[in-house]
Amino acid sequence: MSTTQPIRNLVQISKLKDYYFKEKPNLRNYTLICLGINSALRISDLLELKWKDVYDFSKGHFLSHLSVQEQKTGKHTRIALNKNALDTLKLYRKSLPLFEPETYLFPGRHPNSRLCRSQAFRIIKEAGQQLYPEAKLSCHSLRKTFGYHAWKAGTPPVILMAVYNHSSFQITKRYLGIEQDDKDDVFLKTNL
């Protein structure tokens, strides 16, 4: 069995996002991928989001942070919405004829239902197979991609451990595939 990997290449991230923006337009799916990559949320938490979680209806603007009770850990987390996440949410909102506080951000086929995990997996897998058939992409790839690029950008290990609620950086390194990258660098740089 293979392990889900982060998307290590920024061009590949752009192409993955663009798949549901340009190639097979679907703003819900596009937003799912963009928000998944930019929030580091597990797919189960992402799919539970409602419009009230990202938009202040009384003030008429998007919130600066997501506030989520993680299903898996039961811990409360607060996530800043960056420019890409907010721009995507604004674009998505404009495309909807109706959005209410209790409406799911990623609705399913039936009224008042949310997108199910298996459908989210199919959405990401389809884009991944069309673009990168050799890659092992899944919903969890979005979460891992955030951490991998945060680490590459110099985020301190203790912060990444906190983002993922890991007890050690060894776990975080293994989770993000950093350990293998470190080993690969040794072999690629030792060119005898």
Side-chain angles (χ1 to χ4, degrees):
M1 190 166 109
S2 61
T3 303
T4 294
Q5 293 295 313
I7 305 163
R8 290 173 168 81
N9 182 301
L10 293 175
V11 172
Q12 289 179 336
I13 292 171
S14 290
K15 286 182 179 180
L16 181 67
K17 291 191 304 186
D18 282 349
Y19 182 77
Y20 287 112
F21 189 68
K22 295 177 181 175
E23 292 183 44
K24 192 175 177 184
N26 183 314
L27 284 178
R28 180 199 65 186
N29 296 352
Y30 170 72
T31 305
L32 177 71
I33 290 170
C34 290
L35 199 56
I37 288 174
N38 285 288
S39 71
L41 283 173
R42 287 178 188 86
I43 196 67
S44 56
D45 295 323
L46 202 57
L47 295 177
E48 287 296 325
L49 292 175
K50 295 185 175 182
W51 278 102
K52 68 180 181 179
D53 298 319
V54 296
Y55 191 80
D56 184 334
F57 283 81
S58 64
K59 295 181 181 172
H61 65 77
F62 281 90
L63 300 171
S64 62
H65 289 77
L66 284 174
S67 189
V68 177
Q69 183 84 23
E70 293 181 357
Q71 289 183 8
K72 183 176 179 179
T73 64
K75 294 180 181 178
H76 183 267
T77 189
R78 196 168 138 83
I79 299 164
L81 291 170
N82 65 24
K83 183 179 180 338
N84 286 341
L86 287 170
D87 288 349
T88 300
L89 285 166
K90 289 173 186 174
L91 180 67
Y92 181 36
R93 180 186 160 261
K94 286 180 185 176
S95 74
L96 300 173
L98 174 70
F99 80 110
E100 298 289 330
E102 291 298 324
T103 304
Y104 284 104
L105 200 56
F106 305 109
R109 291 180 187 241
H110 306 293
N112 301 320
S113 72
R114 65 169 179 75
L115 192 66
C116 67
R117 249 180 111 110
S118 57
Q119 185 59 25
F121 173 76
R122 284 191 287 273
I123 288 166
I124 293 161
K125 187 174 180 175
E126 177 189 331
Q129 286 180 333
Q130 291 299 314
L131 298 168
Y132 314 107
E134 72 289 348
K136 304 290 187 227
L137 297 185
S138 72
C139 297
H140 220 57
S141 296
L142 305 180
R143 180 170 160 86
K144 288 183 173 191
T145 296
F146 173 86
Y148 180 82
H149 287 279
W151 176 73
K152 283 291 196 183
T155 300
V158 71
I159 301 296
L160 288 174
M161 287 169 49
V163 165
Y164 290 115
N165 290 314
H166 290 160
S167 58
S168 74
F169 188 57
Q170 281 305 110
I171 294 169
T172 304
K173 280 176 68 171
R174 196 170 44 248
Y175 181 79
L176 299 176
I178 294 168
E179 206 164 70
Q180 186 60 50
D181 284 357
D182 291 340
K183 287 190 234 176
D184 291 350
D185 281 347
V186 169
F187 288 102
L188 295 173
K189 289 177 180 174
T190 308
N191 204 10
L192 305 172

